[in-house]
Amino acid sequence: MTSAGFNEEESKSRRSSLDISHDALRDLSEQFVALVQNYYAGISQRPVFPHTTGEELERAFNEPPPLEGEPLEHLLGDCQKMIEGTRHNGHPRFFGYVASPSTPVGAFADLLASAVNPSVTSWRSAPSATQIERTVVRWLGSLIGFDEAAHGILTSGGSMANLTALLIAHRVKSGPQTASEGLWNDGAPMTVYASDQVHLSIPKAADILGLGHRHVRLLPTDDHFRLDIRALREAVESDKQNGLRPFCVIASAGTAASGAIDPLGEIAGVAREYDLWFHIDGAYGAPAAMVAEKRASFAGLAMADSISLDPHKWLYTPVDCGCLLFHDPTAARRAFVMEADYIKVHEQAEESFAFWDYGIELSRRFRALKVWLTLKYYGARRVADAIADDIAMAEYLAERVQAAEDFELLAPVELSICCFRYRPPRLRARLAAAKDHEERDRINSELNRLNERIMHDVQRSGRAYLSNAMLRGKFALRACIINFRTTRADIDITVEVVRAVAREIDIDESR
Amino acid sequence: MTSAGFNEEESKSRRSSLDISHDALRDLSEQFVALVQNYYAGISQRPVFPHTTGEELERAFNEPPPLEGEPLEHLLGDCQKMIEGTRHNGHPRFFGYVASPSTPVGAFADLLASAVNPSVTSWRSAPSATQIERTVVRWLGSLIGFDEAAHGILTSGGSMANLTALLIAHRVKSGPQTASEGLWNDGAPMTVYASDQVHLSIPKAADILGLGHRHVRLLPTDDHFRLDIRALREAVESDKQNGLRPFCVIASAGTAASGAIDPLGEIAGVAREYDLWFHIDGAYGAPAAMVAEKRASFAGLAMADSISLDPHKWLYTPVDCGCLLFHDPTAARRAFVMEADYIKVHEQAEESFAFWDYGIELSRRFRALKVWLTLKYYGARRVADAIADDIAMAEYLAERVQAAEDFELLAPVELSICCFRYRPPRLRARLAAAKDHEERDRINSELNRLNERIMHDVQRSGRAYLSNAMLRGKFALRACIINFRTTRADIDITVEVVRAVAREIDIDESR
C-alpha cells in the first residue's frame, strides 16, 4: 500500500480523514436503522436456525481483504447475508444454551457507547462512564439482595467473571509472594470445591491460573442436582489431612444443566468454618433473586464473598456483559495491584479509581451503558416480571411433559430450565420390565442416541431450538427459557415439533 | 418485587414481554440516532476533557436502582449528562494513551451486532458470525504481512490477547500435565524475556497465569528504546545456567511509551536458537505494517509464533476489539482443549469450529462485524493512508519541538508517538553548565515536576490532551496520534497550548 507525503497546499490538513459527510452519515444511519427495525419486526417469522452449511458460508464470506471501499448498498447486502446465516437467539422458540434476545434499548445503548467510544479504564480516562459502571454494579448488588453497597466490575461474561473471582480468591488466601514468585515450588496444591454440575469455566479457570483443573474437586449432588454438603465437608477434611490447602468453594445458582441452586446458606457455613473464599456462580440464575417468589431459594447469597451474574443473560442486554460482585474491594485490589500500596487510601478516591485494579482487562468497553439504560427504560420491576414469566414458561413446559405418555421429565424445574426426553411407549415398557442394571443401561443408551438425533433434527428444522444436558448419564433435551418473546403457544408448538420429529426418527429406527 | 401467576385469559400469552411497539421503536431509533449524529457533528467544539469532579459526577449519577421505567426523554437527558461528563477520544486534539476515535460505520456495526445479538462461541451457535470472524482474522494476518492464512481470535483488547498468547506459549513449551496438575512443584520456574519498555499487561499476565511477574526479565534497550539483543542472549544463557527454563520472548512493535519497534528479525533468530515461543505485542503498532514506507521496520514479523494487534486502536473501530494471530491453530488448541483429542481432525471442520478451543472467553460479542464493515466501507488502502497521516502528524510535531528553543525531543519518532518535554531556557542553560551527574539529576527532577504539572494543566484546560511516559527517568509529555481528525493546525494549536500552560506554571514557580 502506498501513502504520499503532504504537499504545500495540504500542509494544514491531512490527506486521509475517515470522517464522512453529513449526507453520508444520514444515509448510513437510515439504512442501518431500517435493517435493525426490519430485523426486530420479522424475527418471529425466520427459521430459528439457518438452512446452511459450513461450506456454503465459507464460500459466501471468504473474500480477499478489500483494498478499496465498497458502496453502502453492497455492505447492506453483506449484512443481509450475515443475518440470513445466523441463529436467531431472539426468536420466540429459541431455548438453546443460556442466550437471550436483546432489547432495542440495549442495542441503541451499544450504538451510543460506540459513537462516544470511551475506554472505561479509569475515572481519569472516562469520568462519567466510570461513575455509571460503579452505579450499575451497586444496583445489581442491591437488586439481587447481595449488598446495598456492592463493589465489582463488568466483564465480557460469566467465564471472565469466574476467572477473576478465582484469581482474587487465590491471591487473598495465598501468601503475598505469589504475584511475583508464581506457583512454582509454592508448596502443596491449593484446592477448590464445587459440585459436579459446576460450569466448565471453573475447571478452565483453574487450568489458566496454573492451579490445575484436577485441583477442582467435583462433588456429588442430591436428587435435585444440588451440592451434597456432607460430601463437601468430607472432601475438605480429606484434602487437609493429605496436606493439601483448601481455599475456595464455589456454589452454583443455578446450574447450567438444570438450573439447580446449591444450598447457599449451608455452604457459607462450611466456608466460614474452613476459612474458604465463598464464590457463587450466578451467571445464569442470580437475576432471579429479583423475583419475590424465588428469593427464598437464594437464601445465604449475601454471605458469599463474590458472585458472578450476567446481565447479557437474564437481564436481556446484548452480548457482552457479565459482572463480578464482591463486598470487599481491598481483597480484589490485592490480586491486581502489583505495588505494595494496594491499601493506600487516596485523597480523591473517586478520581483515582481505576478498573485495572479490580480486573484482568485494560481496554474496556462501556458495557454499563446498556445495563443502565435497560433498567431505566423498563424499570427493575418489569424486568423481574419478565424473569418470573420465563420461569412460568419452563414450569408450563414441565407440566406438558409430565402429562404426556411419550415424554419424561429428567430434573425438577427450579428456575427456567426444563430437562426432558422423548421416551416412546415401547421403550418405556422395556425400561419398566428391565431385569437388571445392565439392561436398563442398554435401553438408556438407546434413548440417548434417539434423543441426540431428536435434538439435532429439531435444531435443523428451524422451528424451535433446544440444546442438551447430560444428567446422570441420560441425554436430556434442554429448554432454557430466558426469552421475553416466548408465550405458552410457543411452548405448545415446541412440544409438537419435538414429538413430530421424534416419531419420524423412531418409526425410522424401529423398522 | 412481586410477580403474579397467569390467569385463564392470559394462558396463551405472557404478562411481561419487553418487546415494544412499532412507534416506540421508531421513537427510540430516531432519538438515539439524533444524539449520535449531533455528537459526531459537534465533537471538535467540545472541551477534550470535561470540567467536572469525582464528587460532582457521584452526585449526578448515584441514584437508587430504578424500580419503575422512566420516559424516553429522561433517558436522553441522562445520556446527555453522560456525554457532558466524558473525555472525548474523538476530539481532533486528543492524543492521550493509545485511544482512537471511532468511525460511524463501526458504531452502526455495533448497533447491528447488538440487535441480532449472536454470542460468537462456535459455528453451531453463530454460523455466519463465526465465519466472518475467521475471515477478518485472515484479513488482518494478510494485511500486516504476518500470514496469508492466519488463524486467531478477537479479544477485548491487547491485555487479553497478550494473556492468551502467554498462556498458549507456556502450554506449548511445558509438559502435557500442566493443565490438570498446575504449576505446583512443576520444577524450576519458566522464564519470559522482553525489554524494559514492554507493556504492563505482560508482567500482569505472568502474575495471573501463576508464572510470577518476577520471571519476566525486563531487559535494557538501545538509544532508540529497542530491545538489546546481546542482553537478551545473555539473560537466556544465564537463566539456563542457573537451572531456570526460558520459554518465551516478547517483542514490542511498537512500545506504548515511544512507539519503538524491537529488532524482530534478530529476536526471531534468538527464539529459534533457544526454542522459545516468539510473541510480538503489536497491539498499538502492528497495523502500521500496512503502510508501505513502514513495512521495513517490521521485517521479521512473519517469523513470530503469535502477534497481538488491536483493531480498536489503529484500525479506528470502537472499543472493544483486540486480536491475537498465530500460524498454528494446533498450538492454541493445546492450551484450551482439556480433552486429549485436541488434534482430532473433524469431518466437517467448519461446522465443529469453536472459539472456546482458542481463547479464554465463552460468551463472545460479535466484534468481527465492525472490523469487517470498517475495512469494506473505507477499503484497507484508505485506512493505511490514515495511519500514514497519523505518523506524518507525529513527525510534524517532532519537527516543531526540535525547532523550538523551549522544547526537547525525548525519543525518536518511529510510529505516531512523539515524546517531548518543556525545558525553559533558564533550565536548559543550567543543565548545560551542570558540573556532575548529581546536579543534572536535580535539574531533571525539577523538569519532571514541571512537566507533570504541565500535563495535568493541559488536560484540565480541555483544549488538548497529552498523557505521559517515563523515559530514562525523564517525565515526557507524550502525544500518541491515532486520530484521523487531527490536522497540522491541531498540532500547531497543541504546541501553543502546551507553551502557554508551561509559561504560566514556570513564571509562577520561578517567582
Side-chain angles (χ1 to χ4, degrees), chain B residues 327-367:
Chain B
H327 301 294
D328 176 13
T330 312
R333 285 174 65 81
R334 195 175 301 174
F336 292 106
V337 179
M338 286 196 196
E339 305 82 53
D341 68 349
Y342 60 80
I343 45 165
K344 195 166 93 185
V345 177
H346 296 268
E347 267 187 72
Q348 300 163 295
E350 296 296 333
E351 295 176 23
S352 65
F353 182 90
F355 282 107
W356 65 68
D357 289 343
Y358 301 90
I360 293 171
E361 296 176 322
L362 180 55
S363 296
R364 295 175 70 253
R365 183 169 170 80
F366 187 11
R367 300 181 177 113

Side-chain angles (χ1 to χ4, degrees), chain A residues 44-298:
Chain A
S44 306
Q45 280 74 55
R46 293 182 179 275
V48 191
F49 194 84
H51 300 295
T52 190
T53 64
E55 207 187 331
E56 188 176 296
L57 291 180
E58 167 83 20
R59 266 200 312 276
F61 292 108
N62 192 16
E63 307 160 282
L67 297 187
E68 306 303 334
E70 297 172 18
L72 182 57
E73 53 267 37
H74 286 199
L75 267 66
L76 294 165
D78 286 331
C79 289
Q80 281 293 1
K81 275 200 313 192
M82 176 277 285
I83 290 172
E84 302 303 327
T86 197
R87 190 183 72 192
H88 302 286
N89 300 353
H91 187 286
R93 287 190 297 283
F94 174 75
F95 309 129
Y97 308 100
V98 194
S100 71
S102 68
T103 64
V105 73
F108 280 96
D110 266 329
L111 167 68
L112 183 60
S114 291
V116 177
N117 203 35
S119 183
V120 191
T121 56
S122 62
W123 193 94
R124 289 184 202 286
S125 277
S128 54
T130 297
Q131 181 60 53
I132 290 168
E133 181 162 338
R134 296 185 72 185
T135 298
V136 160
V137 160
R138 278 197 283 259
W139 286 2
L140 294 175
S142 166
L143 288 167
I144 65 167
F146 174 70
D147 191 335
E148 296 291 319
H151 298 262
I153 188 164
L154 299 182
T155 66
S156 66
S159 288
M160 284 299 296
N162 285 337
L163 175 69
T164 306
L166 200 58
L167 177 62
I168 293 172
H170 181 260
R171 293 303 193 264
V172 164
K173 301 296 183 185
S174 72
Q177 79 296 341
T178 307
S180 81
E181 298 300 316
L183 305 180
W184 312 101
N185 311 309
D186 194 42
M190 294 175 74
T191 44
V192 181
Y193 303 82
S195 90
D196 58 12
Q197 299 295 303
V198 78
H199 190 254
L200 273 174
S201 59
I202 297 295
K204 186 169 181 172
D207 169 0
I208 292 168
L209 299 176
L211 303 170
H213 59 73
R214 198 171 72 84
H215 298 121
V216 180
R217 309 296 184 212
L218 301 177
L219 306 168
T221 53
D222 66 16
D223 57 1
H224 280 61
F225 298 98
R226 294 175 302 207
L227 177 63
D228 178 336
I229 285 290
R230 216 177 60 180
L232 169 62
R233 194 179 291 275
E234 283 170 7
V236 173
E237 280 290 350
S238 156
D239 281 340
K240 277 170 72 90
Q241 277 166 24
N242 289 319
L244 300 175
R245 294 181 290 163
F247 79 96
C248 181
V249 58
I250 296 171
S252 304
T255 62
S258 70
I261 301 174
D262 286 334
L264 306 181
E266 291 178 75
I267 293 172
V270 174
R272 189 165 305 159
E273 187 179 336
Y274 292 96
D275 191 27
L276 309 177
W277 184 276
F278 176 24
H279 174 66
I280 297 176
D281 179 2
Y284 153 54
M290 290 164 62
V291 177
E293 292 83 343
K294 282 290 160 189
R295 187 52 80 91
S297 304
F298 293 91

Side-chain angles (χ1 to χ4, degrees), chain A residues 265-499:
Chain A
E266 291 178 75
I267 293 172
V270 174
R272 189 165 305 159
E273 187 179 336
Y274 292 96
D275 191 27
L276 309 177
W277 184 276
F278 176 24
H279 174 66
I280 297 176
D281 179 2
Y284 153 54
M290 290 164 62
V291 177
E293 292 83 343
K294 282 290 160 189
R295 187 52 80 91
S297 304
F298 293 91
L301 180 145
M303 288 147 83
D305 294 296
S306 58
I307 180 167
S308 304
L309 81 163
D310 279 0
H312 72 206
K313 291 191 169 90
W314 228 346
L315 294 179
Y316 313 100
T317 75
V319 172
D320 59 12
C321 193
C323 179
L324 177 67
L325 298 172
F326 37 79
H327 301 293
D328 176 12
T330 312
R333 285 174 65 80
R334 194 175 301 174
F336 292 106
V337 179
M338 287 196 196
E339 305 82 56
D341 68 351
Y342 60 79
I343 46 165
K344 195 166 95 184
V345 177
H346 296 267
E347 267 187 72
Q348 300 164 292
E350 296 294 334
E351 294 176 23
S352 65
F353 182 89
F355 282 108
W356 65 68
D357 289 344
Y358 301 89
I360 293 171
E361 296 177 321
L362 180 55
S363 295
R364 295 175 70 254
R365 184 170 168 79
F366 187 11
R367 300 181 178 112
L369 187 63
K370 54 192 165 194
V371 187
W372 195 56
L373 292 179
T374 297
L375 288 171
K376 277 176 172 274
Y377 188 75
Y378 293 108
R381 277 191 222 276
R382 194 163 158 203
V383 174
D385 285 348
I387 294 172
D389 280 2
D390 285 341
I391 295 170
M393 292 299 152
E395 289 167 348
Y396 176 64
L397 175 55
E399 282 167 31
R400 291 289 319 262
V401 163
Q402 286 184 297
E405 283 288 304
D406 49 354
F407 286 123
E408 180 188 8
L409 190 68
L410 292 180
V413 173
E414 173 66 42
L415 292 172
S416 71
I417 294 174
C418 178
C419 287
F420 63 102
R421 65 176 174 179
Y422 178 70
R423 192 185 51 182
R426 64 180 174 88
L427 288 174
R428 179 181 192 154
R430 275 178 55 199
L431 260 181
K435 288 184 301 292
D436 57 21
H437 194 63
E438 280 176 15
E439 192 179 345
R440 270 195 299 278
D441 282 356
R442 263 198 311 278
I443 302 167
N444 273 320
S445 295
E446 201 175 322
L447 279 167
N448 286 359
R449 281 193 304 276
L450 174 60
N451 279 277
E452 189 170 356
R453 279 196 61 189
I454 292 169
M455 179 191 74
H456 185 263
D457 287 6
V458 168
Q459 288 179 355
R460 287 292 173 143
S461 79
R463 298 187 60 207
Y465 196 101
L466 304 169
S467 57
N468 65 298
M470 284 303 285
L471 294 171
R472 314 244 189 266
K474 294 176 183 169
F475 186 101
L477 300 171
R478 173 179 166 283
C480 176
I481 305 173
I482 51 172
N483 190 333
F484 56 78
R485 293 202 175 95
T486 305
T487 64
R488 295 191 168 206
D490 292 307
I491 301 296
D492 291 338
I493 294 171
T494 301
V495 168
E496 291 318 309
V497 168
V498 173
R499 183 173 279 138

Side-chain angles (χ1 to χ4, degrees), chain B residues 476-493:
Chain B
L477 301 172
R478 173 179 166 282
C480 176
I481 306 174
I482 50 172
N483 190 333
F484 56 78
R485 293 202 175 93
T486 305
T487 64
R488 294 190 168 208
D490 291 307
I491 301 295
D492 291 339
I493 294 172

